[in-house]
Amino acid sequence: MEPSDKVVETVIVGSYVEMETEGNPKTMKTRLSKFFWHGGSVYDAWFSCASNQVAQVLLTLPYSFSQLGMASGILFQLFYGLMGSWTAYLISILYVEYRTRKEREKVDFRNHVIQWFEVLDGLLGKHWRNVGLAFNCTFLLFGSVIQLIACASNIYYINDNLDKRTWTYIFGACCATTVFIPSFHNYRIWSFLGLIMTTYTAWYLTIASLVHGQIEGVKHSGPTQLVLYFTGATNILYTFGGHAVTVEIMHAMWKPQKFKAIYLFATLYVLTLTLPSAASVYWAFGDMLLNHSNAFALLPRNPFRDMAVVLMLIHQFITFGFACTPLYFVWEKAIGMHECKSMCKRALARLPVVIPIWFLAIIFPFFGPINSAVGSLLVSFTVYIIPALAHMFTFRSAAARENAVERPPRFVGRWVGSYSINVFVVGWILVVGFGFGGWASMTNFVHQVDTFGLFTKCYQCPPPSPLLHNVTAPPPQPPPSFQQHHHLRSP
């Protein structure tokens, strides 16, 4: 089968390179535009994956450590990082398989962006397509909601003259401008800058916590209860489940078959950011984090913290675009606008997608707990269970395995090894991620609703006090979440 494999690779690469190089720029202006704007290399894909994997979740991981304890927090990051890299690899294999089959049928993707639900449709049929579409779109919808909530939560720590709900209104309007970004080809400079922003923020959290030192009487009680433990675990599940846009990133590459190990290398870099920052903040503040899901809330205000807040705001705008762009594509295809060449018309057509995101961010402003709920109920299926099952069903027959464009590598045990890993992924995520995680995260989420209410103006904002640095703090709020957790621990 080796000669045919080489022919297949030529088909994939040749078709796509021809599509990308058509109309090469000649002027200096268009060359600069290409340099900053049009990305499709392996490096662009790595920056996109690494930049998109952690955004606001970087600020909630210390909160998860307070729920899990230090040892479990570190182990879960390593475990889910590896598992997430495996399922991203599976998605890339299925994409190449689907695209190869279609290009053998002379299908032209010149003006069409392939998406995950289309891969499932082409390989496994409409029922898989419908399930994949439902989970993926819902996840991306709430992923965008989380970014909007994070924007409001972060800006509040450098300007509390407005409450968080008002900031959500403002940033909702700002994020709506992402409708003008055509596709993932156009995130080159943003992905690069986004990774610099998260890198700065992660090392700021690490250094600032170590310089601050441990608070007086610091306690590291976690884990203390199953509800908190599995809530923290599903937040980490969400952290390394950022590849709902893997297919779109691959499609933006000039040679998509080179994607296979990119997500793993991106994850390894991300771990150098998440492990030191989460561990340092938890070491310094301990159980106080149970009442502060945003790590910025505990660190003293200074120019370094303000810089981190500003950079995270910009990065969350970028991540909002990452999460929303696939939704824009789905909506465009649904209304027949996807192949329209006028970007202005497409931008107008995309606006209805932003409205429900804006509305949901105002209803559920629970920064932190919403991550765990999305992780257990949506990420578990979208990112872990469905790709593993799809890989097993696609290659269940001997003929499919024999004719596969990409075969599992030898170090995982070829087909038997990959099937064994897939069965483990499905079983673990179904029981631990969706089962226990779903129970714990929804229990916590419902408790936030009962305590703070829907449409709350300022979630986890401090009550007014003359000791606070700013006397314009918002009105008193219901009891903080640490008291909620304490109530959960009582008989």
Side-chain angles (χ1 to χ4, degrees):
M1 293 298 296
E2 289 184 6
S4 63
D5 285 347
K6 290 179 180 177
V7 171
V8 167
E9 182 174 286
T10 303
V11 169
I12 299 171
V13 179
S15 167
Y16 210 70
V17 168
E18 180 185 357
M19 182 167 68
E20 287 303 314
T21 56
E22 216 171 61
N24 280 335
K26 301 296 182 183
T27 67
M28 180 60 69
K29 181 179 179 181
T30 51
R31 283 175 182 166
L32 286 173
S33 175
K34 181 182 178 182
F35 180 79
F36 288 108
W37 187 247
H38 298 291
S41 68
V42 170
Y43 301 103
D44 289 308
W46 184 84
F47 279 118
S48 292
C49 290
S51 173
N52 188 46
Q53 194 171 121
V54 287
Q56 51 76 34
V57 76
L58 191 66
L59 307 175
T60 65
L61 285 174
Y63 169 65
S64 297
F65 269 49
S66 70
Q67 297 169 319
L68 288 164
M70 186 75 79
S72 291
I74 292 171
L75 289 174
F76 268 116
Q77 281 204 38
L78 296 172
F79 178 65
Y80 282 134
L82 186 62
M83 190 179 289
S85 299
W86 171 254
T87 53
Y89 164 76
L90 297 181
I91 292 172
S92 71
I93 295 301
L94 294 171
Y95 169 87
V96 170
E97 185 73 25
Y98 166 78
R99 181 159 180 174
T100 303
R101 292 183 187 183
K102 287 298 181 183
E103 291 190 341
R104 284 171 177 167
E105 299 169 4
K106 309 300 182 185
V107 176
D108 186 2
F109 295 110
R110 202 176 299 267
N111 295 312
H112 184 91
V113 176
I114 299 173
Q115 294 189 268
W116 176 230
F117 71 92
E118 294 169 315
V119 173
L120 292 174
D121 187 19
L123 297 177
L124 295 167
K126 65 178 182 179
H127 296 302
W128 283 82
R129 176 201 65 196
N130 294 338
V131 171
L133 182 63
F135 273 106
N136 208 46
C137 287
T138 309
F139 168 45
L140 290 169
L141 178 75
F142 277 96
S144 304
V145 169
I146 288 169
Q147 300 308 319
L148 199 49
I149 294 170
C151 286
S153 178
N154 288 343
I155 190 64
Y156 181 80
Y157 292 113
I158 58 174
N159 187 336
D160 56 8
N161 292 318
L162 300 176
D163 58 70
K164 292 181 182 179
R165 189 171 68 189
T166 303
W167 282 120
T168 305
Y169 292 138
I170 295 169
F171 278 100
C174 294
C175 288
T177 58
T178 57
V179 298
F180 290 100
I181 299 176
S183 73
F184 283 96
H185 285 295
N186 311 113
Y187 275 98
R188 167 173 278 185
I189 188 65
W190 297 116
S191 296
F192 175 74
L193 293 175
L195 192 59
I196 292 175
M197 294 169 189
T198 53
T199 300
Y200 172 88
T201 303
W203 286 109
Y204 158 74
L205 292 174
T206 302
I207 296 169
S209 299
L210 295 175
V211 170
H212 182 279
Q214 292 184 311
I215 60 171
E216 185 177 352
V218 64
K219 292 182 180 179
H220 300 90
S221 307
T224 58
Q225 200 218 16
L226 286 177
V227 169
L228 301 181
Y229 188 83
F230 286 108
T231 300
T234 50
N235 186 41
I236 296 179
L237 177 80
Y238 170 84
T239 302
F240 294 97
H243 43 285
V245 295
T246 298
V247 171
E248 289 84 358
I249 292 173
M250 284 189 70
H251 191 81
M253 293 177 68
W254 297 317
K255 297 180 180 180
Q257 75 276 16
K258 291 189 174 182
F259 182 86
K260 290 177 288 186
I262 285 175
Y263 196 88
L264 174 61
F265 291 129
T267 298
L268 292 175
Y269 179 79
V270 165
L271 285 170
T272 68
L273 306 181
T274 58
L275 287 173
S277 60
S280 299
V281 178
Y282 179 53
W283 169 82
F285 298 100
D287 289 352
M288 278 188 69
L289 285 158
L290 289 169
N291 188 37
H292 297 87
S293 52
N294 190 330
F296 282 147
L298 294 175
L299 291 165
R301 182 173 180 180
N302 56 45
F304 297 106
R305 194 193 76 164
D306 288 354
M307 174 64 75
V309 171
V310 171
L311 291 179
M312 287 305 291
L313 285 171
I314 300 171
H315 187 269
Q316 278 146 8
F317 170 82
I318 298 168
T319 309
F320 182 93
F322 259 97
C324 253
T325 300
L327 291 176
Y328 295 151
F329 292 156
V330 172
W331 178 249
E332 287 172 358
K333 292 170 185 177
I335 63 174
M337 290 288 290
H338 186 57
E339 296 186 5
C340 176
K341 293 184 178 180
S342 171
M343 195 57 234
C344 290
K345 290 180 181 179
R346 288 176 64 192
L348 286 173
R350 291 172 170 188
L351 280 174
V353 177
V354 180
I355 295 172
I357 295 170
W358 206 350
F359 188 63
L360 288 168
I362 295 167
I363 299 177
F364 305 115
F366 310 125
F367 186 81
I370 194 173
N371 292 21
S372 299
V374 171
S376 61
L377 302 181
L378 299 173
V379 173
S380 56
F381 283 93
T382 302
V383 172
Y384 297 96
I385 294 175
I386 292 176
L389 287 175
H391 188 265
M392 289 192 288
F393 276 86
T394 298
F395 299 108
R396 65 185 180 276
S397 69
R401 293 192 296 274
E402 181 67 22
N403 295 312
V405 178
E406 294 277 358
R407 296 180 176 83
R410 184 178 298 172
F411 68 85
V412 301
R414 297 295 188 186
W415 291 108
V416 173
S418 67
Y419 267 66
S420 301
I421 296 172
N422 288 342
V423 169
F424 173 77
V425 169
V426 172
W428 177 276
I429 298 297
L430 198 60
V431 174
V432 178
F434 177 71
F436 289 107
W439 161 73
S441 59
M442 288 311 296
T443 299
N444 187 31
F445 189 83
V446 169
H447 207 82
Q448 305 300 311
V449 175
D450 290 342
T451 304
F452 290 93
L454 302 177
F455 298 100
T456 184
K457 288 185 70 175
C458 215
Y459 176 67
Q460 287 189 338
C461 293
S465 168
L467 298 177
L468 293 177
H469 72 277
N470 194 326
V471 297
T472 59
Q477 292 293 321
S481 58
F482 179 76
Q483 294 176 9
Q484 301 162 31
H485 296 311
H486 180 74
H487 173 73
L488 286 172
R489 289 196 289 270
S490 62

